[in-house]
Amino acid sequence: MTSSHVHRSLKEKQRQEREELILKVAQDVFLERGYHETSMDEIASRVGIAKGTVYLHFPGKDDLVIAIFERDMQEILRQMDACLDCQTSPQAKLEALLHFMYAGLFSKRTQLLSSIYHSADMKRLFAEKGGCLRDLWDQVAHRVAQLLDEGKARGDFDATLPTSIMTSTFLSLLSPKSYERLLAEGRFVPDDIVTHTGKIFFRGIQAKH
Amino acid sequence: MTSSHVHRSLKEKQRQEREELILKVAQDVFLERGYHETSMDEIASRVGIAKGTVYLHFPGKDDLVIAIFERDMQEILRQMDACLDCQTSPQAKLEALLHFMYAGLFSKRTQLLSSIYHSADMKRLFAEKGGCLRDLWDQVAHRVAQLLDEGKARGDFDATLPTSIMTSTFLSLLSPKSYERLLAEGRFVPDDIVTHTGKIFFRGIQAKH
Amino acid sequence: MTSSHVHRSLKEKQRQEREELILKVAQDVFLERGYHETSMDEIASRVGIAKGTVYLHFPGKDDLVIAIFERDMQEILRQMDACLDCQTSPQAKLEALLHFMYAGLFSKRTQLLSSIYHSADMKRLFAEKGGCLRDLWDQVAHRVAQLLDEGKARGDFDATLPTSIMTSTFLSLLSPKSYERLLAEGRFVPDDIVTHTGKIFFRGIQAKH
Amino acid sequence: MTSSHVHRSLKEKQRQEREELILKVAQDVFLERGYHETSMDEIASRVGIAKGTVYLHFPGKDDLVIAIFERDMQEILRQMDACLDCQTSPQAKLEALLHFMYAGLFSKRTQLLSSIYHSADMKRLFAEKGGCLRDLWDQVAHRVAQLLDEGKARGDFDATLPTSIMTSTFLSLLSPKSYERLLAEGRFVPDDIVTHTGKIFFRGIQAKH
DNA sequence: AATGAATGAGGTTTCATTCAT
DNA sequence: CATGAATGAAACCTCATTCAT
């Protein structure tokens, strides 16, 4: 009984690990090559499994991408909350958020998020299959909007600016592609860029005294 | 002789007009459907010509996209210069630039530009085939950077911020996708958004007094 | 103008001939191998064209089979009518029908018709895509039923037998598969078989005197 | 020792029961969906066992179908003989046969038998793997032929008709598909149809007096 | 013995590109 | 020139079969 249970749980664990691996690899390949330039064959062979095996985990290519986005968004939300707990003022929280989104592992996730908003075919895909993603993204945007409103209430941020536009502007800073060249040129490290960009944004929304 | 020459030139004019039309239509379709979801068939049939005819103007699908980007960038440069002439202060010029990039016809071009920076497959395409585009984009960035430096020299902009980062931030504002939802919700018109966003940016880079 | 028209019509003619050829070849292959054992590759290569070309004529494998059935049924109806004109009594007409259905070229078509009624997957296909086929087959059955009723009215056929059952029995004679072995053994030619089978049927439905 | 033997025999019995169950279920699914539309997965899951287990009983999908046909034919032969014992005249025996073949449980088997004769891929399968089936079917045909000859000898049936053709015609009546529509329309019950069809056949082969 | 995850050959379909007319 | 039929490489996906557990 116990052995059987352990056995089950082991198999299940292996299954989940494999699924996780597929998601990870697929994310990389999609980022490198783009959705259409990536074949299921390539994903499978990079994972080191057969094409058919991928289909045991995800019913189709579409669903694989959706799953990647979903996992990423959930992780981002989770980490966002964790990171918001450690700070006090709304501005400090938003700054922490910015830094976190660009930090090591998350730059990939942030890039994917940004691609949602920028490629016509992905948008289509989400319109058709990604109902749940809309909610998750709304939660991200909602958290940001809340912090901005909180800052306004405290008199930190300019209350005459519409929160929705501030939110959009803040989120548009989460498009790491714009900074890739800066990084590529090697004159800055990510933290520099985020710090400066953040400074521009927060000065920009500061309440006039 | 003369008649033949006129004939030639007429033909040539028609040819150019058609090429222009193909570029225009293709741009629309690419924006609607995305690169991979758009077939040469669809472009040809929307233009009202045969598929083969498209290949008389552009050697391949890749080159067609490159040509679109090239044309757009050149047009943007041209209009940018025109629009910069009408203003006096660097900030006024940059504001005019922002408004212009979102104005009617240019929103499409701006969207395409933004997609350069955000989709993995386009980037690859440009890396392989789009040598000339790099130069054009550098010119755009250069104009912005010049204005920012000019502003710094006049004491308008904060000289402690690295110009390259300011430039990047400014250009990242040219990602209309971020605002699509704001527009879709119907609470703002493009000009509102640009005005507010610009306000944030320019306050953000203002020199401290 | 005329030349263009002729040109058009020539192209169109070639197109139709090619389509006809595909239908013919596909019918043969489907008969030999069955629907699922036949690949589009095989059809194309037997016709001597590329796989993609088949798809210029038929949107999918399904539609190809449907088209074959439709063409066959229409041809059968046409020939049936022709063959019914040459005879006088209902029985003579039905006998002519039987012979005609087994005659040279039609044995193939008859075999296909029969396969409609006997394979589970074909039935499914027709249920989904073959609306028009149902009508055509009904016309065939209707013609037979009419002849049987006519014969009853003349006092030739037994009026106590339900026409629908007589029709079914008659049509079940159109299943050449049952006779293949007889033919294969070489002791009979098709006409013998049809003659004897017909004799059994017509005696069977004869009015009692 | 004895216990081990009993154990063995118990296991063996369970094994046979499961094999029987697989055959039964597979038959149903093949009839519903057709050979190619049926996956080994579906069969296994309907039986309630793992896919691999099916392969412990049958080396492949082909062999499973062959086994079904073999079992069905053997059962038909067994039941045929039983049913022939209860009747006296050849005609009564053949009539009993007809009714029996359409009776409740046997309609399925009859349908499968009929599909042997009507689908190209099944024929191929039997040509390659189904040596034994040929013999069994010959036995069925032989029994019918014997009865017909017996009837001829008694002066019941028309001796001028070739027995082989009479046999073929009789067996072609065993194609329940032809009657499905009659049944579907709801105007007849199976027994009506068989009775009328049989009447046509037996009148058709009756000796002239 | 039983399982079911893994495999990979094979099938259908799409579409950028070519080329004879 | 312009056309659009033809091509065939390449993608997605299924499923019979195997094999480690």
Side-chain angles (χ1 to χ4, degrees), chain A residues 58-78:
Chain A
F58 306 95
K61 202 184 178 184
D62 304 351
D63 310 85
L64 178 52
V65 209
I66 300 285
I68 291 172
F69 278 109
E70 199 173 335
R71 192 194 60 148
D72 280 355
M73 286 219 194
Q74 271 162 351
E75 182 64 12
I76 281 174
L77 272 178
R78 202 173 310 130

Side-chain angles (χ1 to χ4, degrees), chain D residues 18 49-53 56:
Chain D
R18 184 160 52 196
I49 58 179
K51 193 169 24 170
T53 310
L56 294 179

Side-chain angles (χ1 to χ4, degrees), chain A residues 31 33 36-37 117-118 123-124 134 138 158 164 168 177-178 180-181 188 200 203-204 208, chain B residues 33 36-37 117 120 123-124 134 137-138 158 164 168 177-178 180-181 188 200 203-204 206 208:
Chain A
L31 270 173
R33 299 236 195 295
H36 286 280
E37 307 277 355
Y117 277 88
H118 292 90
K123 278 177 90 171
R124 219 179 229 216
R134 170 69 55 139
D138 283 345
D158 182 351
S164 58
S168 260
K177 298 272 179 180
S178 321
E180 279 180 2
R181 254 178 109 179
F188 300 100
I200 296 176
R203 267 203 221 151
K208 299 165 202 164
Chain B
R33 298 237 196 295
H36 287 279
E37 308 277 356
Y117 278 89
K123 277 177 91 171
R124 198 172 246 228
R134 170 69 56 138
W137 180 250
D138 282 345
D158 182 351
S164 58
S168 260
K177 298 274 179 180
S178 322
E180 277 181 2
R181 249 178 118 180
F188 301 99
I200 295 174
R203 268 202 222 151
Q206 209 169 21
K208 297 166 203 166

